[in-house]
Amino acid sequence: QMQLMESGGGSVQPGGSLRLACAASGFSNNNYCIGWWRQTPGKEREWVAYIRPDLFARYADFVRGRFTASRDSTRRSLFLQMNSLKTEDTATYYCGARGGWDCLSGRIQWWGQGTPVTVSS
């Protein structure tokens, strides 16, 4: 059973930056993908970015070039550097993970509690 805990959310003006972090624990091997999703009230949770077990990162089109996902050398932390933030990036951001290679090929097995991000002038 994997436990995930996000941190780093907050408020920022358009064009600003934030760095989210996700602490992962409770999984004994590295055969899982892990990434970021976001959700606003009344909408479905949408994928933002994820990292495969080989550390290759994939991004949704609406964040490519602005957001960067990374992991530390211990693989116990996941980060999301968000630059050039837009008002439409306002959402609660969730860390999620599932066993295997591709985070989009099946149901996410573990979720964090989410961290809110507000982009507003």
Side-chain angles (χ1 to χ4, degrees):
Q1 184 75 13
M2 180 179 287
Q3 291 81 44
L4 303 171
M5 181 172 293
E6 305 91 338
S7 61
S11 296
V12 65
Q13 293 185 341
S17 298
L18 279 176
R19 181 176 169 89
L20 305 183
C22 172
S25 61
F27 208 67
S28 61
N29 64 65
N30 291 323
N31 188 28
Y32 63 93
C33 62
I34 187 168
W36 295 96
W37 282 253
R38 68 187 188 185
Q39 189 170 23
T40 55
K43 294 187 176 181
E44 292 188 357
R45 194 168 295 186
E46 64 180 355
W47 163 62
V48 175
Y50 76 87
I51 297 181
R52 301 184 327 197
D54 64 352
L55 301 182
F56 180 81
R58 290 189 62 192
Y59 298 93
D61 288 344
F62 56 81
V63 301
R64 190 172 293 116
R66 299 189 298 125
F67 292 7
T68 302
S70 62
R71 302 190 68 179
D72 70 345
S73 60
T74 69
R75 297 192 182 217
R76 293 179 181 176
S77 292
L78 171 72
F79 304 98
L80 185 68
Q81 178 65 43
M82 304 187 295
N83 298 329
S84 302
L85 282 161
K86 305 175 181 180
T87 55
E88 52 263 44
D89 294 319
T90 295
T92 297
Y93 284 71
Y94 295 89
C95 180
R98 67 183 301 272
W101 198 256
D102 185 350
C103 274
L104 302 184
S105 64
R107 183 180 62 87
I108 296 299
Q109 294 171 272
W110 304 287
W111 290 107
Q113 82 289 350
T115 186
V117 171
T118 301
V119 184
S120 174
S121 56

